[in-house]
Amino acid sequence: MSDAPIGIFDSGYGGLTVARAVLDQLPHESIAYLGDTARAPYGPRPIGQARAYALECLDRLVAHGVKALVIACNTASAAVLHDARERYDVPVVEVIRPAVRRAVRATRNARVGVISTRGTHQSGAYIDAFAAAPDLQVASVPCPRFVEFVEAGITAGPELIECARAYLEPLQRDQIDTLVLGCTHYPLLTGVISYVMGDGVTLVSSAEETAKDVYRVLADGDMLRDDALPPPGHSFTTTGDTDEFRKLSRRFLGLGPEFDHVFRNNFHHVGVEAGAS
């Protein structure tokens, strides 16, 4: 048993959907979240720079005393997973492989699609992860505007539906039956994606599958927090604008103002190195 928090890192806001899934599946656990919003997005950056930024943030979470690390960023997962597992003495969970494992189990016709940001698409991280299942046909499509819609608070409407149809049409042509939401922003667009793809396509949320992996890792390591302990405490930290982070955090976590008391004084700003941005 361990009373230490679960450390969750993302380059920005999308990892908050992972935090939401962890809160749902592990309600007795504490969370320490760090979003490197001052230097987001990582996708367009050289991989060496993304790796350095990610390890700097993960170092901070480890110094905070977390019992497990969650890399809730697709770009960072591809860049630093191997290094992180060698660097830290705590378990490290990422967002790519849990979703891939679920998609392999879910598909019925061996045709799987992946939607992601342009950076994740170009990295080939999901295609590489599916290499262990060579009998599958995997199609990857970048959907960069989806992030813009989510961060603007737009999850419905004709413009979004038209955009989704344009992005997803190649996957419909490929007759996929399983679709991986390969960006942690995308669970907030499950409604429109399901509407366009139809009920016959199973959606796999990287956030939900990552939270399941966190549960498994903690249970296997006898690190689950005792239910008899007082209610957990959470901390949310950003390297960028705290007001913007607070606003978007409420949207991503799905919490109304009645939950303000839970997070009051928990939104902090931490600086980044001079010239790092």
Side-chain angles (χ1 to χ4, degrees), residues 7-199:
I8 302 178
F9 157 71
D10 184 29
S11 60
Y13 301 102
L16 290 162
T17 61
V18 177
R20 174 72 264 178
V22 171
L23 287 169
D24 287 342
Q25 297 183 31
L26 292 156
H28 299 288
E29 297 291 342
S30 299
I31 287 174
Y33 184 95
L34 173 55
D36 193 9
T37 58
R39 301 184 291 201
Y42 280 11
R45 297 184 180 277
I47 191 167
Q49 190 177 55
R51 176 184 177 277
Y53 289 171
L55 289 175
E56 178 189 338
C57 292
L58 293 170
D59 284 350
R60 286 176 172 170
L61 285 171
V62 170
H64 184 69
V66 300
K67 63 181 175 184
L69 285 169
V70 181
I71 306 176
C73 170
N74 286 273
T75 302
S77 292
V80 304
L81 178 62
H82 180 73
D83 294 319
R85 286 182 169 161
E86 289 191 345
R87 186 182 183 100
Y88 307 116
D89 293 329
V90 298
V92 180
V93 177
E94 46 80 43
V95 292
I96 296 174
R97 286 168 181 80
V100 167
R101 288 196 298 268
R102 173 62 181 143
V104 170
R105 293 193 302 269
T107 184
R108 305 174 302 282
N109 68 359
R111 296 186 178 189
V112 175
V114 178
I115 55 174
S116 64
T117 63
R118 195 174 303 281
T120 298
H121 170 75
Q122 291 174 344
S123 76
Y126 276 93
I127 300 299
D128 291 345
F130 274 109
D135 293 337
L136 297 188
Q137 296 180 40
V138 182
S140 176
V141 174
C143 304
R145 288 192 65 203
F146 278 175
V147 171
E148 299 172 17
F149 280 111
V150 169
E151 294 194 356
I154 300 170
T155 57
E159 183 181 4
L160 174 59
I161 292 173
E162 181 181 355
C163 179
R165 283 177 171 153
Y167 281 149
L168 300 173
E169 192 270 338
L171 299 176
Q172 292 175 310
R173 282 204 315 268
D174 286 342
Q175 297 182 318
I176 66 162
D177 74 348
T178 303
L179 179 60
V180 176
L181 308 184
C183 171
T184 48
H185 283 68
Y186 294 177
L188 296 179
L189 298 178
T190 298
V192 67
I193 294 169
S194 181
Y195 173 72
V196 172
M197 294 303 297
D199 293 338

Side-chain angles (χ1 to χ4, degrees), residues 222-238:
D222 194 26
M223 293 187 291
L224 290 169
R225 189 172 182 269
D226 194 327
D227 294 358
L229 289 171
H234 309 297
S235 64
F236 292 82
T237 305
T238 177

